[in-house]
Amino acid sequence: MKGKKTDWSAINCAIARSLSAIGDQWSILIIRDALAGARRFGEFEKRLGLAKNILAARLKKLVDEGVMETRPTAGGGYREYVLTAKGEALFPVLVALWQWGEKFAFAEGERTLAMVDRAKHEPIPPLEVKAHDGRAIGPRDYTSVRIGGA
Amino acid sequence: MKGKKTDWSAINCAIARSLSAIGDQWSILIIRDALAGARRFGEFEKRLGLAKNILAARLKKLVDEGVMETRPTAGGGYREYVLTAKGEALFPVLVALWQWGEKFAFAEGERTLAMVDRAKHEPIPPLEVKAHDGRAIGPRDYTSVRIGGA
């Protein structure tokens, strides 16, 4: 990010705060790989092809944000990086990015990885924003209200 | 992003390609503001507090990616930036980021903006990843399969 460094964690917008925690592109790919089972520094390094110092900084930030935590392995030889509950709760964000990319960022017939239900091997249906009564909510069907605060 | 510039649009991962198109943090906030009704350059500038040159570069990139398009206004005095269908399809990504931030990035009682259904003014329920038969799909319930390609 260029220009004036904005402290988005101080802004009252939940999207800006989420981006402050995990908005770096590498961070999202680290979370992707952690969801797919990566745990060791070397695994992330190999999957991402990322320089050690950059990977270390991203992992540290994710730990500082409470998205990941480190644990000693059973043998004690390594430390592993695993998603916390807060980190696993990012699953819908990753699914939404995956589904959008699958739909709009590949040419017809181009090779891609589709997300399928592990039990039945069927494609995961697109995420839908819905109201409590099941009505579809589109970009023109929501509004925002202030809650909390003094 | 520091270090070697990776061309993520060439990678066969839909998440990486989505990030290549809209992964810049300012781009996501521009899309947020466009979903909320902003259309004119000056509106985005005011909402985001962003330098003109950076905003112009981000808007150009979003237009180049087919996420936004420019239109002359009815009066003809301005050009407006509006989301294309591809851009509007990012709505679930933004909702997922919003909901995660609302849940994890605010202290108890801290002032925030909640997303509500415009018709009934009820909170929008959390996005859920579900299989075709309605089973909840969590981070351990999916796998990926290659489709397409030679």
Side-chain angles (χ1 to χ4, degrees):
Chain A
M1 199 164 60
K2 298 194 191 74
K4 190 173 55 180
K5 187 88 179 181
T6 305
D7 180 8
W8 290 353
S9 66
I11 294 173
N12 272 359
C13 164
I15 293 173
R17 289 202 187 181
S18 293
L19 294 174
S20 165
I22 54 104
D24 171 81
Q25 295 165 304
W26 288 117
S27 299
I28 294 176
L29 295 184
I30 289 170
I31 295 162
R32 172 199 67 180
D33 288 346
L35 284 168
R39 291 180 159 231
R40 298 215 310 240
F41 189 93
E43 286 179 277
F44 290 108
E45 192 186 359
K46 193 174 162 189
R47 284 171 184 249
L48 294 165
L50 190 55
K52 279 189 171 59
N53 62 327
I54 298 176
L55 176 58
R58 294 298 183 282
L59 286 168
K60 180 181 184 306
K61 160 95 166 145
L62 290 170
V63 170
D64 291 347
E65 293 286 350
V67 169
M68 300 187 92
E69 61 189 7
T70 60
R71 285 185 200 162
T73 54
Y78 295 92
R79 292 194 71 79
E80 291 184 332
Y81 292 85
V82 294
L83 293 166
T84 60
K86 178 176 174 177
E88 291 209 343
L90 285 161
F91 186 55
V93 173
L94 279 282
V95 173
L97 285 168
W98 187 328
Q99 292 181 335
W100 187 81
E102 225 178 72
K103 183 160 180 189
F104 293 104
F106 287 83
E108 195 73 42
E110 195 185 4
R111 189 163 171 172
T112 177
L113 285 172
M115 180 178 259
V116 299
D117 169 8
R118 188 183 286 276
K120 298 200 173 173
H121 277 255
E122 290 172 352
I124 308 282
L127 279 173
E128 290 173 306
V129 184
K130 287 189 174 177
H132 276 289
D133 58 14
R135 271 173 302 121
I137 298 290
R140 274 164 286 274
D141 305 318
Y142 79 94
T143 185
S144 56
V145 297
R146 286 195 186 283
I147 55 171
Chain B
M1 201 165 58
K2 298 193 191 72
K4 191 175 52 178
K5 188 88 181 181
T6 306
D7 181 9
W8 290 353
S9 65
I11 294 174
N12 271 359
C13 164
I15 293 174
R17 289 204 187 179
S18 293
L19 294 174
S20 165
I22 55 104
D24 170 82
Q25 296 166 306
W26 287 118
S27 298
I28 294 177
L29 296 183
I30 289 170
I31 294 162
R32 172 199 67 182
D33 288 345
L35 284 168
R39 291 179 159 232
R40 298 215 310 240
F41 189 93
E43 286 179 277
F44 290 108
E45 191 186 0
K46 194 174 163 188
R47 283 172 184 247
L48 294 165
L50 191 54
K52 279 189 170 58
N53 61 327
I54 299 176
L55 175 58
R58 293 298 181 285
L59 286 168
K60 179 180 185 309
K61 160 95 167 145
L62 290 170
V63 170
D64 290 347
E65 294 286 349
V67 169
M68 300 187 91
E69 61 188 8
T70 59
R71 284 184 202 161
T73 55
Y78 295 92
R79 291 194 72 79
E80 291 184 332
Y81 291 86
V82 295
L83 293 166
T84 59
K86 178 177 175 177
E88 291 210 341
L90 285 161
F91 186 55
V93 174
L94 279 281
V95 172
L97 285 167
W98 186 329
Q99 292 181 335
W100 188 80
E102 224 179 72
K103 184 160 179 188
F104 291 104
F106 286 84
E108 194 72 42
E110 195 186 2
R111 190 164 170 170
T112 178
L113 285 173
M115 179 177 259
V116 299
D117 168 8
R118 189 183 286 275
K120 298 199 173 174
H121 277 255
E122 289 172 351
I124 308 284
L127 279 173
E128 290 173 305
V129 184
K130 289 189 172 177
H132 275 290
D133 58 14
R135 272 172 304 120
I137 298 290
R140 274 164 287 275
D141 305 318
Y142 79 94
T143 186
S144 56
V145 296
R146 284 194 189 284
I147 53 171

